[in-house]
Amino acid sequence: MKIAVMGAGAIGCYYGGLLARSGLPVTLIGRRLHVDAVKERGLVMEVGEERFTVPMDATTEVSGVADADVVLFCVKSGDTEAVGRDMLPHLRPDVTMLCLQNGVDNPDRLRAVTGGTVVPVAVYVATAMAGAGHVKHHGRGDLVMGPSPRDAEIVARFTAAGIPTTVSEAAIDALWGKLIVNCAYNALSALTQLPYGRLLAVPGVAEVMTDVVAECTAVATASGVTIAAGTLPAVLGLAATMPGQRSSTAQDLAMGKPTEIDHLNGLVIRKGAELHISTPANRVLHTLVKAAEAAKAGS
Amino acid sequence: MKIAVMGAGAIGCYYGGLLARSGLPVTLIGRRLHVDAVKERGLVMEVGEERFTVPMDATTEVSGVADADVVLFCVKSGDTEAVGRDMLPHLRPDVTMLCLQNGVDNPDRLRAVTGGTVVPVAVYVATAMAGAGHVKHHGRGDLVMGPSPRDAEIVARFTAAGIPTTVSEAAIDALWGKLIVNCAYNALSALTQLPYGRLLAVPGVAEVMTDVVAECTAVATASGVTIAAGTLPAVLGLAATMPGQRSSTAQDLAMGKPTEIDHLNGLVIRKGAELHISTPANRVLHTLVKAAEAAKAGS
């Protein structure tokens, strides 16, 4: 089973690295900085106390997907269509594309440009790039993926590589559960530049998150998605389990990079408008992050 | 008719100055910086092309209200109760207190600590301090005040002083109309630090303002207040008439001063909670301004 990893960020490098280490042929496709480092000395992985180097193919060319049976699709949500169109001429007709991305509509958007087998995957991992071609694991690593024709083989190979993987019709529900957490935390952490612990200590923040979760749940439910009953207490309790964490949106904004907010609160607003469900709290958060992005871009 | 002006900001200085110039005895009560300047060389006023100096009494002592028939109450909304309690032992029993403040509940809050005749006044003026004891007028200046026992005499004296003044049962409605404008603009201008013209050009801002106005109107209506039918287009159109304006909240936040947000969006949230009306957009804006205030105070 040949693997291509489209997008050499922390998610792509972590899963691609484990699969390559287990003996599968893996090609990493990403930016020159990481590709050059991996070609020169392999991917450096830090997992718990272990530190090891995994040799693998790496390229900046999207044609690197050419022979792959399975593509791990790990690009930012904003790049889904563009990268999908670039891959299309090189894809095997029987390829299985696994979307390991934030947001809930990436599989639909990728399938719209590529056709074929595109599978939603909910990713539960804390991992970050620690340098060029160097990925560090901070916790978990399990995947919940939607059903697909080759899922038995994929689960077997992934499990053998040390990636706990389950197949579930509820993968989309799991993605929505993650989306709700992101809608509650990412914009507030970005706009205040506060870590989660101090964020929840600000008067009113718990009430704002309660409004955001209620709006997201209404939109999800009207979209046919099942949201677990304990979602609100789980969201409010998250800050206590990772008080020092800042959201990816906070990090993107601080570095002047485009955020994924259009695919977080922005998606809830768009879906809400389609379904005639009002989303005022999500709208304020989305609008202020877009204004902050524009201010950074202009400065 | 003896006048005391409690609070020597731009509003207090502008109206107190016009009344003193018309020949009424006026005592200005405020901070040392302005009081010293006024005692030394009178209040400097710039109105249109005119520049003139108005001699008047000035003091930093709240006992300056002692002989006043009319008190112009011009302090920040957050200081209403504390200043009211300080004034109480010095007030004439038949005093008329005119609240020339932002927000809608200052008359009720002042009356709760002072008793007596407290009158809501909606102020339509653009004016700013240009230095110590120096006020500059930028536009309008008319007042809409609620009914009170001495209102005929007050209107006559004010009108003679060049202050267009009308008495209306709808003064509270007018204050709510101003509050809605402030709820729509102040926090957004503060959080983005954008002037109104550029603010309205940010995608999503008009929709956020629409949500804010709808929430405020629902709370006002349930409180027995009449909101004019054209309020939303008037709010959205305001930016075009003053594109360079930044909100007072934006100025307070930029200077690290406490804002009046608890008496703007914060009031709508509290009234909404009492009336079981949800106010999610106002809540996000209020919470983020409070977080920004706290961040400024901590930095």
Side-chain angles (χ1 to χ4, degrees):
Chain A
M1 193 172 81
K2 285 192 168 180
I3 310 279
V5 178
M6 188 69 240
I11 298 287
C13 286
Y14 175 71
Y15 289 105
L18 289 182
L19 292 168
R21 194 191 192 200
S22 78
L24 293 176
V26 175
T27 301
L28 189 67
I29 306 161
R31 300 219 181 114
R32 179 155 307 283
L33 178 77
H34 295 300
V35 164
D36 285 352
V38 170
K39 282 168 95 162
E40 196 179 305
R41 49 119 173 94
L43 177 73
V44 178
M45 298 187 76
E46 285 185 79
V47 181
E49 300 296 293
E50 276 191 285
R51 182 189 169 106
F52 45 89
T53 301
V54 185
M56 69 176 79
D57 281 345
T59 175
T60 60
E61 299 295 327
V62 72
S63 59
V65 300
D67 294 323
D69 300 296
V70 173
V71 173
L72 307 193
F73 195 69
C74 306
V75 305
K76 286 247 183 188
S77 294
D79 297 330
T80 293
E81 283 91 348
V83 176
R85 270 188 290 267
D86 287 348
M87 291 195 309
L88 183 56
H90 308 288
L91 289 171
R92 290 173 58 115
D94 64 346
V95 68
T96 301
M97 289 170 273
L98 306 180
C99 283
L100 281 71
Q101 299 169 280
N102 272 330
V104 298
D105 66 348
N106 284 296
D108 288 343
R109 287 162 48 223
L110 180 58
R111 193 180 299 112
V113 295
T114 61
T117 302
V118 179
V119 184
V121 183
V123 180
Y124 298 93
V125 70
T127 183
M129 296 307 288
H134 178 179
V135 65
K136 194 164 176 182
H137 176 257
H138 295 289
R140 291 187 66 173
D142 40 315
L143 303 178
V144 178
M145 60 180 226
S148 67
R150 297 183 65 177
D151 58 21
E153 185 188 354
I154 293 170
V155 168
R157 298 284 195 179
F158 279 38
T159 304
I163 302 168
T165 306
T166 50
V167 174
S168 170
E169 292 281 357
I172 282 286
D173 299 0
L175 284 174
W176 268 94
K178 291 189 60 180
L179 178 80
I180 290 178
V181 171
N182 288 334
C183 286
Y185 279 89
N186 281 37
L188 284 170
S189 174
L191 292 166
T192 60
Q193 287 292 318
L194 287 177
Y196 294 175
R198 286 176 55 204
L199 180 61
L200 259 287
V202 173
V205 162
E207 288 81 359
V208 169
M209 287 188 175
T210 301
D211 288 337
V212 169
V213 171
E215 291 174 12
C216 292
T217 302
V219 171
T221 304
S223 306
V225 171
T226 303
I227 299 300
T231 296
L232 178 61
V235 167
L236 296 178
L238 180 72
T241 70
M242 40 176 71
Q245 181 75 25
R246 279 166 214 263
S247 69
S248 60
T249 307
Q251 295 171 46
D252 287 341
L253 205 56
M255 291 188 288
K257 286 164 56 172
T259 75
E260 289 194 295
I261 205 73
D262 284 344
H263 303 280
L264 304 176
N265 309 81
L267 176 123
V268 173
I269 295 166
R270 290 193 302 279
K271 285 261 178 199
E274 283 170 23
L275 298 161
H276 304 288
I277 294 170
S278 71
T279 54
N282 279 283
R283 191 188 295 282
V284 179
L285 293 172
H286 177 256
T287 299
L288 287 172
V289 170
K290 297 300 282 185
E293 256 184 36
K296 284 273 181 182
S299 69
Chain B
M1 193 171 81
K2 284 192 169 181
I3 310 281
V5 177
M6 188 69 240
I11 298 287
C13 287
Y14 175 71
Y15 288 105
L18 288 183
L19 292 168
R21 193 192 193 200
S22 79
L24 293 176
V26 174
T27 302
L28 189 67
I29 306 161
R31 299 218 182 115
R32 180 154 305 283
L33 178 76
H34 295 301
V35 164
D36 285 352
V38 170
K39 283 167 97 164
E40 196 179 305
R41 48 118 173 94
L43 177 73
V44 178
M45 299 187 74
E46 285 184 80
V47 181
E49 300 296 293
E50 278 191 284
R51 182 189 170 108
F52 46 87
T53 301
V54 185
M56 69 176 80
D57 282 345
T59 174
T60 60
E61 299 295 325
V62 74
S63 59
V65 300
D67 294 323
D69 299 297
V70 173
V71 173
L72 306 194
F73 195 68
C74 306
V75 305
K76 285 249 182 186
S77 294
D79 297 330
T80 292
E81 282 92 348
V83 176
R85 271 188 290 267
D86 287 348
M87 291 195 309
L88 183 56
H90 308 288
L91 289 171
R92 289 173 59 114
D94 63 346
V95 68
T96 301
M97 289 170 273
L98 306 180
C99 284
L100 281 71
Q101 299 169 281
N102 271 331
V104 297
D105 66 348
N106 285 296
D108 289 343
R109 287 163 48 223
L110 181 58
R111 194 180 299 112
V113 295
T114 60
T117 303
V118 179
V119 184
V121 183
V123 180
Y124 298 93
V125 69
T127 182
M129 296 307 287
H134 179 179
V135 65
K136 195 165 176 183
H137 176 255
H138 295 288
R140 291 186 67 171
D142 41 314
L143 304 178
V144 178
M145 59 180 226
S148 66
R150 297 183 64 178
D151 59 21
E153 185 188 354
I154 293 170
V155 168
R157 300 284 197 179
F158 279 38
T159 305
I163 303 168
T165 306
T166 50
V167 174
S168 170
E169 291 282 357
I172 281 287
D173 300 0
L175 284 174
W176 269 94
K178 290 189 61 179
L179 179 79
I180 291 178
V181 171
N182 289 333
C183 285
Y185 278 88
N186 281 37
L188 284 170
S189 174
L191 292 166
T192 60
Q193 287 292 316
L194 287 177
Y196 294 176
R198 286 176 55 203
L199 180 61
L200 258 288
V202 173
V205 162
E207 288 81 0
V208 169
M209 287 189 176
T210 301
D211 288 337
V212 169
V213 170
E215 292 175 10
C216 292
T217 301
V219 171
T221 304
S223 306
V225 171
T226 303
I227 300 299
T231 296
L232 177 61
V235 167
L236 297 177
L238 179 72
T241 70
M242 40 175 72
Q245 181 75 26
R246 280 166 214 262
S247 69
S248 59
T249 307
Q251 295 171 46
D252 288 340
L253 204 57
M255 290 187 289
K257 286 163 58 172
T259 74
E260 290 194 294
I261 205 74
D262 284 343
H263 303 280
L264 304 177
N265 309 82
L267 175 124
V268 173
I269 295 166
R270 290 193 302 278
K271 285 260 178 200
E274 284 170 23
L275 297 162
H276 305 287
I277 294 169
S278 70
T279 54
N282 279 283
R283 191 188 296 282
V284 179
L285 293 171
H286 177 255
T287 299
L288 287 172
V289 171
K290 297 300 281 184
E293 256 184 36
K296 283 272 181 183
S299 70

